[in-house]
Amino acid sequence: MVDDAPEQNPPGEEPSSDASDQPGKKKQKKKGNFWKELPVLILVAFGLAIGIQIFLGRVYMIPSESMETTLHGCTDCYGDRVLVDKVTYRFTDPAPGDVIVFRGPPSWQNDFISDEPSNPVSQGLSWLGSLIGLPSANEEDFVKRVIAVGGQTVKCCDEQNRVTVDGKPLDEPYKHFDEGTPAEQESFEELKIPDGMLFVLGDNRNHSCDSRCQGQGGLNGLVPVDDVIGKARVIVLPPSRWGGVSDHNPQVVSMGAPGWQENVPLGLGIVGAWPLMLLGRRVRDRFRR
């Protein structure tokens, strides 16, 4: 007599299942979880990219030759992309020698503006690119070097064709003159810089419209500290140009200031960024769990 009753498992033993079905189920479950999590991961990555741009740093394109040879932006070469630090100036003001990116004051006219794309698709891509750090075609942002700050008096030139601040000549190893042109700077009248303002020049001294000529010069050519976006730190593109951006203080020699002062803004920026790095690590660990 054949017993048709199902086989009973011994007491305490779990019911058996078809082992061949288990890997497939696990694989299917993992695959389903991946597609459910993917939109969340994309949104988080996109949000982090926007947050980093707003609070920490952003990549900017150099579209003109006014900062040659520190930054490449000439017509016949690939313009540099620089990473701009937005943290440092939350703790300190721009200092002489800093290469800064700033919004053009109303009296300034950009020396390079390209046409905005007319195609809706191109406009959309341009907008999305701006969110992740790619510069748009017609941004009214500038990059120059700080020469003098509020309370100082600047003038050009002395007997050796040097810019002076408070009557003392500057040490400017970054200064550039195009080949075949005289190594002489355009002179300008003595100017006392009001508090909260900056006097800026391009390193390519005779191919830069800066505080000397913007708004007809004088007070109209100055840049408000509040308009400064950040400090240019690193050249990120092209790869052949990777490296830091010089922030040599031209007043160090003339004023006898200790060299350690040049590193104060960078140190403050690192200290300020440390809590954000710890927070980012905690968020990452939570997502991994």
Side-chain angles (χ1 to χ4, degrees), residues 212-241:
R212 299 169 296 177
C213 66
Q214 292 283 6
Q216 304 299 316
L219 294 176
N220 288 334
L222 301 181
V223 176
V225 172
D226 292 340
D227 286 352
V228 176
I229 296 171
K231 180 177 181 178
R233 289 286 187 187
V234 181
I235 300 171
V236 294
L237 286 174
S240 61
R241 293 271 299 157

Side-chain angles (χ1 to χ4, degrees), residues 34-264:
F34 171 77
W35 289 112
K36 289 179 181 179
E37 293 175 358
L38 182 60
V40 177
L41 293 175
I42 293 175
L43 288 175
V44 170
F46 201 68
L48 286 175
I50 296 175
I52 289 172
Q53 282 191 88
I54 294 174
F55 299 108
L56 298 181
R58 182 183 173 186
V59 175
Y60 282 81
M61 179 180 65
I62 308 303
S64 75
E65 60 182 345
S66 66
M67 286 299 293
E68 292 279 354
T69 58
T70 302
L71 301 176
H72 279 359
C74 55
T75 306
D76 298 327
C77 67
Y78 184 85
D80 285 347
R81 268 67 171 174
V82 295
L83 178 62
V84 174
D85 161 24
K86 293 185 174 183
V87 176
T88 296
Y89 296 145
R90 297 181 188 273
F91 302 93
T92 184
D93 288 335
D98 289 357
V99 176
I100 60 172
V101 171
F102 55 94
R103 292 179 290 273
S107 59
W108 280 53
Q109 294 184 354
N110 208 334
D111 46 9
F112 182 91
I113 302 177
S114 61
D115 294 332
E116 185 74 20
S118 56
N119 187 304
V121 176
S122 299
Q123 290 178 347
L125 292 175
S126 177
W127 178 78
L128 288 174
S130 68
L131 292 180
I132 59 173
L134 299 178
S136 62
N138 64 344
E139 285 187 346
E140 294 282 348
D141 298 330
F142 295 78
V143 56
K144 305 290 180 186
R145 190 182 296 272
V146 178
I147 299 299
V149 298
Q152 297 183 324
T153 300
V154 62
K155 182 182 179 181
C156 185
C157 300
D158 66 0
E159 294 80 5
Q160 300 182 36
N161 195 43
R162 296 174 296 185
V163 176
T164 65
V165 172
D166 294 335
K168 299 177 181 179
L170 301 182
D171 175 51
E172 300 189 275
Y174 47 75
K175 189 171 55 181
H176 173 72
F177 297 96
D178 287 339
E179 185 177 354
T181 61
E184 298 179 359
Q185 302 184 72
E186 300 176 7
S187 61
F188 54 87
E189 296 296 326
E190 183 176 277
L191 179 64
K192 177 71 176 290
I193 313 300
D195 290 339
M197 305 296 285
L198 303 170
F199 185 92
V200 299
L201 294 176
D203 289 356
N204 193 357
R205 200 50 53 90
N206 290 336
H207 282 81
S208 171
C209 190
D210 38 48
S211 291
R212 299 169 296 177
C213 66
Q214 292 283 6
Q216 304 299 316
L219 294 176
N220 288 334
L222 301 181
V223 176
V225 172
D226 292 340
D227 286 352
V228 176
I229 296 171
K231 180 177 181 178
R233 289 286 187 187
V234 181
I235 300 171
V236 294
L237 286 174
S240 61
R241 293 271 299 157
W242 283 347
V245 178
S246 165
D247 60 353
H248 172 76
N249 186 344
Q251 299 183 21
V252 167
V253 175
S254 61
M255 296 176 60
W260 60 266
Q261 288 185 359
E262 292 187 274
N263 297 320
V264 170

